[in-house]
Amino acid sequence: MKLVFATHNQNKVKEVQDILPENISLLSLTDIGCTQEIPETGKTLEENAILKADYVTKNYGFPCFADDTGLLVTKLDGAPGVYSARYAGVKANADDNMGKLLQALIAKKDRSARFETVIALNINNEQHLFKGKVEGEIIHEKRGNKGFGYDPIFKPLGYTKTFAELPLEVKNKISHRGKAIQQLIKYLNSLVHDTRQ
């Protein structure tokens, strides 16, 4: 089964491909010739995921899933949230975003936060949503060189290492995206199973 993941982010593609069943071939937006950035104008993670999945299905005709992820920091009233990828500005990179967040938390004792991911899947003329979250905290300085985004400053609850220090296979089991992807995989496997009967 060929399935489009509505992203240009090759780190995300690799992370997801590593946990997909072998019978599912993952394509990125680049692979299908979609070079533009799909506007994320939704006010929630759910709305953005749906916008991206609908765009690909409508314009390219592929079964597709899209995700939107947010980092929600308790003492910042849930910020950066839906704006996580562009927290320090539209042209900001991960270092800029982390720098702004660390600055915003400099006087805060409570550094609790959570990551949330919403996946919208368009397949067989139906849409399905899958959600995952992980609780943790924002540490005081970057640690680790794996992962991407806010991974070097996010330490999941019950762990001493950040997402950027943990092996990918461990991160994939406990992360927000990993949990949502596991639900997606369970659903896709049920479709494959149904077609074999």
Side-chain angles (χ1 to χ4, degrees):
M1 176 194 299
K2 285 190 176 179
L3 185 63
V4 174
F5 183 6
T7 184
H8 291 291
N9 186 327
Q10 291 305 313
N11 288 314
K12 277 189 181 182
V13 173
K14 181 183 183 332
E15 191 173 281
V16 172
Q17 184 68 74
D18 282 351
I19 51 179
L20 279 177
E22 287 181 11
N23 59 344
I24 295 172
S25 175
L26 195 63
L27 303 172
S28 70
L29 291 177
T30 308
D31 294 329
I32 62 168
C34 176
T35 55
Q36 62 270 43
E37 286 294 331
I38 302 167
E40 296 181 31
T41 54
K43 291 191 170 79
T44 65
L45 301 175
E46 205 167 278
E47 286 176 10
N48 279 336
I50 290 169
L51 276 170
K52 290 186 280 186
D54 285 352
Y55 181 92
V56 171
T57 302
K58 181 181 175 187
N59 291 285
Y60 294 89
F62 283 99
C64 170
F65 73 92
D67 80 327
D68 200 27
T69 294
L71 175 63
L72 294 85
V73 180
T74 307
K75 283 297 181 184
L76 300 181
D77 298 321
V82 73
Y83 303 106
S84 293
R86 50 194 185 280
Y87 183 47
V90 177
K91 296 189 184 293
N93 62 27
D95 284 329
D96 298 330
N97 289 332
M98 284 188 284
K100 181 175 178 178
L101 183 59
L102 290 173
Q103 192 63 38
L105 287 173
I106 209 159
K108 309 284 187 192
K109 286 184 180 175
D110 179 0
R111 300 174 74 87
S112 60
R114 72 181 183 277
F115 268 120
E116 291 185 1
T117 290
V118 178
I119 291 175
L121 170 69
N122 288 350
I123 196 164
N124 299 336
N125 298 313
E126 293 178 352
Q127 188 165 78
H128 303 271
L129 294 177
F130 308 96
K131 300 177 183 181
K133 69 178 179 178
V134 61
E135 303 286 344
E137 66 175 318
I138 305 301
I139 62 170
H140 292 270
E141 57 189 10
K142 293 183 274 186
R143 290 196 335 232
N145 55 13
K146 300 184 183 77
F148 56 96
Y150 295 91
D151 286 358
I153 59 171
F154 183 82
K155 182 164 66 74
L157 199 62
Y159 288 79
T160 57
K161 294 183 176 180
T162 66
F163 270 167
E165 294 175 299
L166 289 170
L168 188 57
E169 59 271 19
V170 175
K171 182 192 171 190
N172 281 340
K173 282 180 185 169
I174 64 169
S175 78
H176 46 297
R177 185 173 293 108
K179 290 173 182 175
I181 289 288
Q182 290 302 336
Q183 295 170 44
L184 171 69
I185 289 169
K186 189 175 178 183
Y187 179 75
L188 292 172
N189 277 336
S190 74
L191 288 184
V192 172
H193 180 72
D194 287 347
T195 59
R196 288 175 180 163
Q197 290 189 4

